[in-house]
Amino acid sequence: MASIRLGDLLLSKGLINDVQLKIALVQQKVTGDLLGDTLSKLGFVTSKELGQILAQQAGLDFIDLGGYSIADEALRIVPKDIAEKMEFIPLDIHDGQLSIGVTNPSNIMAIDTVTRLTKKQPRVFMVDVDSFRDTVESAYFFFENPIQERVDAIIKEIKATESTTGTSVSSLADLVVMDGIRRKATDIHVNPTSNSVHVFYRIDGVLQHGHCLPKISHAGMVSRIKIMSQLDIAEQRLPQDGSFTYSFLKKGFDIRVSSVPTIYGENLVMRILAGSGPLLRIENLGFDPKEAAGIRNLFRKPHGIILITGPTGSGKTTTLYAALREINLIERNVLTVEDPVEYKLSLIKQTQVNEKVGYDFALAGRNFMRQDPDVMLLGEIRDENTAKIAIRASITGHLVLSTLHTNDAVTSIPRLIDLNADRFLLSSSLLAIMAQRLVRRICQHCKEEYELNDEEIAVFKEQGIDISKAYRGKGCPKCGGSGYAGRTVIGEILRIDDEIRELIYSGASVIAIQENAVKKGMRPLKADGMIKASKGLTTLDEVLRVAG
């Protein structure tokens, strides 16, 4: 097995095809990059998929560093310069035996180094190259610079002097942002109260308390963040919006800032736009195999509109890009307009909304028609113009992908009609509407079975699931005591067939369309969530929190 070339191995696993391999080899001659790196840059395979294949080839277990908590004890044993030089990352330690992650299965130097340091052979796991680089930087930085200790030291200094300095408030603002990045938060809330300031982080869709700071630090912190965002620090009576790029750990994090005046001072919310993690394939999103196959077929259609709906942060962009990977990017011309571009793929022509110069979804959509497109991705349908352009493009033979903010699949139809979309054109152009939410997964390290009470049994029975036991996370150091680690998708897919087209055209009610779709096999959001809860992927509480 080890002698099989990487390209042949990827072909045998169905991750790439002959044409993709041929293009990668041609590009490799020009750039001189490794074949794996070239395939990854072209978007044919991801760094994680390459890592998994190499692990399989070498007979090693693969660890996804994205959701892995590195143990401080392991980092203490191996200095950062040695880990970087020998290209391995310490992961954990049990009974004196160190677990390490390597990107090259034949990295004998790493094994020898660890054996010398610990007097025991390490347990070796494969990790992917991209996650390895990011994790080595962040794990050692936060190990050497414990954020909570630094915050506590500044608070102590402020309390002792009963005043703040420019340095102390700047450091606090930086530490609050750094901690958000460390915790993989999507939003940071700085909430002033009558006698203190509370910092909350939105992690996996749920707010978690981060820090409590002295009230005296609030004005300085807010001014520091407003200066970075190019906002008016003198204006404290009106809401303001801005943004800045925060350079940290050799990466740039785009941060959008919103300030709102409250009775206790300005309330700040910072949204961290750090991309959406690694590209996934449809089958890895969390849909069951039958649904994944159906989605794959939808995105191979030659024309029509496919919409993905859900609130902000429900993984719509991740699903869109997973679906784009099903499209033959060599034979089909794909253009996108996004706000902002979260994933970068070589063979897709990607553009970004720029409201300062008037470049919006509608203007992009109109001009894409002159670019000989096969597939158009319009980041979001926000207004009448974008809705009409999407419909016009689909009925002139293009596949149009977009997102919409609605609560479920069926309510997207009245939303589009509310945007003055013509009923006949809409009914004839729609292919499918997918609604989705992200639910937190139960932590695998502290997962336990428990007896359901009568009320919980009744909730499951409503969805036709007859069980008396379910699963939950007890809470452990690996998941920060929450009982959850990572997220998965729950979704519903409304396929538009001739009968539903007729219902849309004739102005049928949302209930009538929903009943027709369910009768034909559509599984509603909540039902999909309850099935995942019954299988132990998530909890009943989590499904009810997200899907009602």
Side-chain angles (χ1 to χ4, degrees), residues 191-198 211-218 264:
N191 304 154
T193 64
S194 58
N195 55 10
S196 62
V197 180
H198 289 277
H211 308 281
C212 181
L213 310 173
K215 178 74 173 179
I216 196 173
S217 67
H218 179 249
Y264 296 121

Side-chain angles (χ1 to χ4, degrees), residues 78-141:
V78 184
K80 184 187 177 190
D81 57 340
I82 291 177
E84 284 184 323
K85 187 180 173 187
M86 298 301 170
E87 295 188 335
F88 73 91
I89 183 164
L91 300 169
D92 211 339
I93 186 157
H94 288 292
D95 301 326
Q97 186 183 30
L98 194 68
S99 297
I100 64 168
V102 296
T103 57
N104 178 355
S106 42
N107 187 347
I108 305 299
M109 298 285 283
I111 295 166
D112 288 347
T113 303
V114 175
T115 307
R116 212 166 45 246
L117 286 169
T118 64
K119 307 291 183 281
K120 275 189 181 182
Q121 273 233 332
R123 286 188 68 203
V124 182
F125 296 90
M126 275 293 292
V127 296
D128 69 279
V129 176
D130 288 356
S131 298
F132 171 77
R133 290 180 194 132
D134 290 346
T135 309
V136 166
E137 281 296 323
S138 61
Y140 277 101
F141 177 86

Side-chain angles (χ1 to χ4, degrees), residues 433-507:
I433 305 168
M434 294 168 58
Q436 67 177 61
R437 299 283 189 284
L438 291 176
V439 292
R440 292 179 292 171
R441 281 177 174 272
I442 297 171
C443 171
Q444 294 305 301
H445 296 281
C446 60
K447 185 176 178 179
E448 63 174 10
E449 197 175 42
Y450 73 102
E451 294 280 343
L452 294 168
N453 62 36
D454 292 344
E455 197 180 317
E456 290 169 329
I457 289 170
V459 175
F460 275 106
K461 274 191 176 161
E462 275 175 29
Q463 304 298 332
I465 302 167
D466 193 6
I467 56 171
S468 60
K469 290 180 180 179
Y471 296 89
R472 63 186 171 199
K474 243 188 327 192
C476 66
K478 293 274 185 190
C479 61
S482 69
Y484 297 99
R487 291 192 285 180
T488 190
V489 76
I490 59 171
E492 63 182 21
I493 303 171
L494 172 66
R495 290 178 179 79
I496 314 296
D497 60 12
D498 290 342
E499 203 174 327
I500 290 176
R501 279 184 218 290
E502 184 56 41
L503 289 171
I504 296 169
Y505 179 54
S506 62

Side-chain angles (χ1 to χ4, degrees), residues 60-237:
L60 295 173
D61 288 331
F62 178 84
I63 282 185
D64 179 6
L65 290 174
Y68 193 87
S69 180
I70 308 273
D72 284 354
E73 298 79 22
L75 295 171
R76 202 168 280 120
I77 291 166
V78 184
K80 184 187 177 190
D81 57 340
I82 291 177
E84 284 184 323
K85 187 180 173 187
M86 298 301 170
E87 295 188 335
F88 73 91
I89 183 164
L91 300 169
D92 211 339
I93 186 157
H94 288 292
D95 301 326
Q97 186 183 30
L98 194 68
S99 297
I100 64 168
V102 296
T103 57
N104 178 355
S106 42
N107 187 347
I108 305 299
M109 298 285 283
I111 295 166
D112 288 347
T113 303
V114 175
T115 307
R116 212 166 45 246
L117 286 169
T118 64
K119 307 291 183 281
K120 275 189 181 182
Q121 273 233 332
R123 286 188 68 203
V124 182
F125 296 90
M126 275 293 292
V127 296
D128 69 279
V129 176
D130 288 356
S131 298
F132 171 77
R133 290 180 194 132
D134 290 346
T135 309
V136 166
E137 281 296 323
S138 61
Y140 277 101
F141 177 86
F142 291 120
F143 173 63
E144 290 159 9
N145 303 276
I147 284 181
Q148 192 58 55
E149 283 181 26
R150 291 176 66 186
V151 170
D152 290 344
I154 294 170
I155 291 172
K156 193 175 175 183
E157 179 194 321
I158 291 171
K159 285 170 76 177
T161 60
E162 293 186 4
S163 65
T164 60
T165 62
T167 308
S168 64
V169 291
S170 288
S171 296
L172 265 184
D174 282 340
L175 289 168
V176 161
V177 175
M178 283 180 199
D179 207 19
I181 293 167
R182 179 182 73 88
R183 294 169 183 242
K184 297 184 174 70
T186 54
D187 300 85
I188 304 169
H189 294 241
V190 180
N191 304 154
T193 64
S194 58
N195 55 10
S196 62
V197 180
H198 289 277
V199 177
F200 290 87
Y201 297 103
R202 189 172 294 280
I203 300 161
D204 288 343
V206 178
L207 279 180
Q208 294 182 17
H209 189 264
H211 308 281
C212 181
L213 310 173
K215 178 74 173 179
I216 196 173
S217 67
H218 179 249
M221 272 182 64
V222 169
S223 294
R224 158 82 171 152
I225 292 161
K226 286 172 82 172
I227 287 166
M228 289 195 290
S229 313
Q230 297 182 318
L231 300 178
D232 181 357
I233 60 169
E235 181 55 80
Q236 297 174 10
R237 302 158 302 170

Side-chain angles (χ1 to χ4, degrees), residues 16-28:
I16 60 169
N17 57 40
D18 289 318
V19 178
Q20 289 172 328
L21 179 58
K22 188 177 175 184
I23 288 172
L25 290 168
V26 169
Q27 180 166 313
Q28 189 190 17

